Amino acid sequence: MFGPKTHCVVVVGAQWGDEGKGKLVDVMAERADYVVRYQGGANAGHTVCIGDAQFILQQIPSGILHDNCTCIVGNGVVLDPEQFFSELDGLGKKAIATGGRILVSERAHLVLPYHKQLDRAHEKSQKIGTTGRGIGPTYEDKYGRRGIRVGDLRYLESTKALVAERVARANQLLELMGASERASVEEHHALLDRLAPRLVPLSTDTGYLVHHALKQGKRVLLEGAQGALLDVDHGTYPFVTSSNTTAGGAAVGAGIGPTAIDEVLGVVKAYTTRVGNGPLPTQAADGVEEELRKLGGEFGAVTGRPRRCGWFDAMVVRYSVRVNGLTGLAVTKLDVLDTFGEIPVGTGYQLDGAPCTVMPSDVRALEQVVPQYEVLPGWRKPTTGARRLADLPPEARAYLDRLEDLSGAPIRYVSVGTRRDQIIEV
Ligand code: IMP
């Protein structure tokens, strides 16, 4: 999507996450100078396959696998420092040169062990189905103005005093919630002592850096995590994550103005999945769901949880096109549908016998909607070797044409397998 007039592209998930953003970012990063993660944290699991090697990136932008790219963890991310360094060291062991190629915003908030303890305790009563990575409590602290930021580590002694206060507060909350575990000030201080000397040298004003890179004509990819329907404002609240996953969040979370963004690519699976609790209107019937899960390897990259599976939901994707301002779509995992004789596509919903013109904002309504389906013929041939649209069976092309019509955005990429080369650029 990069071109003479396209320097800044956002890649977002347009369903409930796990659409295959990691692979798309990896493919596009070949032509990028910078890849910036702008929200979320270690709840994400971006899988990239190169030959036989598989990489699951959680906090490090998927551009790290191309040595032309500088990778940035933006201010909108909540950074788990322990996990970040173990991920970085893991890449080093796989011979990926990361030295000098990764920078972290001094404004990014830190996920500390007490956030994970609070996440687990909240989950006992709220049952959102979180990843347990402390994401919600860290964003709560950010907006409650009691967060600890990467830049605070430059002032280690005063930050340690702040952390002691936060740990005491977390312990009060844990007690209130009837949790048995408690956070330890000593453990938190030891963690800060250990990690600050590694993190501080990587920290900088990354928004300034991205702004100047764009002014110099560099190409910047803004990498979203999760998906639009998990956005804290636009998703299936309260069954959402705690950040703005949609394209508006990209400007805020990368530290640039919205007018700097040229294109927004929405990644969608050729069907639909969801992990965690909350409505999934086009969820398939038991046996078929199991088949989709098996064929698509639909298990969470971070938690290993089985994903719920269903048919492509055009109501969701149309909504996503609108709230993200998508200028293009990337359809992934088309090959997973290769063996089906018939493929239902959700075209819209009915609620109380009337068609829904917009996506219902309330989960109680969403639990009651009746999806309307159109059944398309399958192609029953492998698509994994296709590298051009013309290589696809006519039924597969007709399927893609229908998804494009129903969604309202042009298809720019089609992915037909996990490997880097299994992609069609339209
Ligand atoms: P949290 O982000 O861990 O707070 O989880 C909130 C919701 O978002 C849960 O339903 C999670 O399963 C879901 N979620 C968080 N990260 C991802 C992801 O990367 N892919 C898919 N679902 C996610």
Side-chain angles (χ1 to χ4, degrees):
M1 282 182 101
F2 287 115
K5 291 199 171 151
T6 308
H7 288 258
C8 186
V9 178
V10 186
V11 175
V12 290
Q15 295 159 322
W16 276 278
D18 308 318
E19 298 91 350
K21 295 175 290 295
K23 170 169 173 177
L24 257 296
V25 171
D26 172 65
V27 166
M28 293 173 70
E30 197 174 359
R31 294 175 224 163
D33 300 296
Y34 290 86
V35 179
V36 187
R37 258 291 293 277
Y38 62 82
Q39 44 69 233
N43 47 352
H46 293 168
T47 307
V48 182
C49 299
I50 302 170
D52 291 334
Q54 192 193 55
F55 299 85
I56 295 178
L57 299 162
Q58 287 188 246
Q59 299 193 94
I60 296 184
S62 304
I64 200 74
L65 305 174
H66 287 279
D67 52 19
N68 53 296
C69 272
T70 300
C71 290
I72 290 179
V73 175
N75 56 275
V77 168
V78 288
L79 185 84
D80 178 337
E82 186 109 73
Q83 194 284 334
F84 173 79
F85 284 115
S86 85
E87 194 177 333
L88 202 62
D89 295 341
L91 286 169
K93 282 189 197 125
K94 289 187 174 175
I96 305 293
T98 56
R101 294 185 47 224
I102 182 135
L103 293 161
V104 177
S105 170
E106 57 202 5
R107 291 182 170 84
H109 281 246
L110 289 174
V111 180
L112 293 171
Y114 64 83
H115 292 118
K116 293 182 224 174
Q117 292 177 312
L118 288 169
D119 196 357
R120 286 194 290 270
H122 281 306
E123 194 53 23
K124 288 223 165 78
S125 58
Q126 278 189 303
K127 304 224 182 315
I128 301 295
T130 73
T131 58
R133 303 295 152 120
I135 305 297
T138 309
Y139 279 115
E140 272 182 53
D141 278 357
K142 170 175 174 170
Y143 293 107
R145 292 159 297 180
R146 49 177 179 269
I148 307 290
R149 307 199 297 179
V150 169
D152 288 325
L153 298 178
R154 297 204 188 106
Y155 308 91
L156 198 52
E157 285 318 307
S158 59
T159 297
K160 277 177 161 177
L162 273 183
V163 168
E165 280 177 29
R166 305 298 183 255
V167 167
R169 183 178 182 278
N171 283 337
Q172 285 172 353
L173 289 172
L174 287 167
E175 188 175 352
L176 204 67
M177 287 188 281
S180 55
E181 50 181 338
R182 294 289 177 269
S184 140
V185 173
E186 292 69 34
E187 273 173 33
H188 278 80
H189 284 178
L191 179 87
L192 299 182
D193 281 334
R194 193 155 38 84
L195 298 179
R198 274 190 94 180
L199 195 49
V200 169
L202 304 183
S203 67
T204 187
D205 187 331
T206 51
Y208 176 82
L209 206 103
V210 176
H211 175 80
H212 278 277
L214 285 169
K215 284 212 145 183
Q216 286 163 11
K218 304 276 189 212
R219 291 169 164 186
V220 176
L221 198 56
L222 306 179
E223 177 181 12
Q226 292 85 46
L229 279 292
L230 289 174
D231 184 287
V232 68
D233 284 84
H234 304 294
T236 49
Y237 192 88
F239 300 101
V240 292
T241 190
S242 302
S243 61
N244 284 116
T245 59
T246 45
V252 177
I256 55 174
T259 47
I261 295 170
D262 301 307
E263 300 266 2
V264 185
L265 182 73
V267 187
V268 292
K269 265 180 201 167
Y271 49 101
T272 307
T273 65
R274 172 167 203 167
V275 63
N277 303 332
L280 178 62
T282 60
Q283 186 160 3
D286 284 355
V288 184
E289 181 183 34
E290 191 56 45
E291 197 177 347
L292 275 170
R293 185 179 298 128
K294 204 169 87 204
L295 289 167
E298 297 295 353
F299 296 88
V302 174
T303 58
R305 291 180 290 176
R307 296 179 184 140
R308 290 187 279 152
C309 301
W311 303 114
F312 188 86
D313 186 338
M315 185 82 187
V316 160
V317 179
R318 269 197 304 275
Y319 175 63
S320 211
V321 168
R322 172 165 68 87
V323 294
N324 284 295
L326 298 184
T327 57
L329 291 176
V331 178
T332 61
K333 293 191 135 180
L334 184 71
D335 55 300
V336 172
L337 302 179
D338 283 354
T339 53
F340 288 88
E342 291 186 324
I343 309 172
V345 171
T347 54
Y349 304 150
Q350 287 213 346
L351 183 62
D352 300 328
C356 297
T357 45
V358 291
M359 185 77 182
S361 63
D362 194 295
V363 281
R364 284 158 292 200
L366 258 184
E367 292 288 6
Q368 282 165 33
V369 297
V370 181
Q372 306 297 296
Y373 291 102
E374 199 174 282
V375 179
L376 276 78
W379 42 94
R380 287 187 159 151
K381 288 188 192 78
T383 55
T384 47
R387 298 295 175 266
R388 298 169 309 152
L389 275 186
D391 299 336
L392 290 173
E395 296 84 353
R397 290 175 63 182
Y399 183 76
L400 292 171
D401 286 346
R402 190 65 186 130
L403 299 195
E404 187 172 271
D405 281 354
L406 288 167
S407 306
I411 294 177
R412 308 292 296 270
Y413 293 93
V414 180
S415 170
V416 288
T418 52
R419 288 199 326 263
R420 210 178 231 182
D421 64 308
Q422 290 178 303
I423 193 118
I424 299 170
E425 203 169 334
V426 179

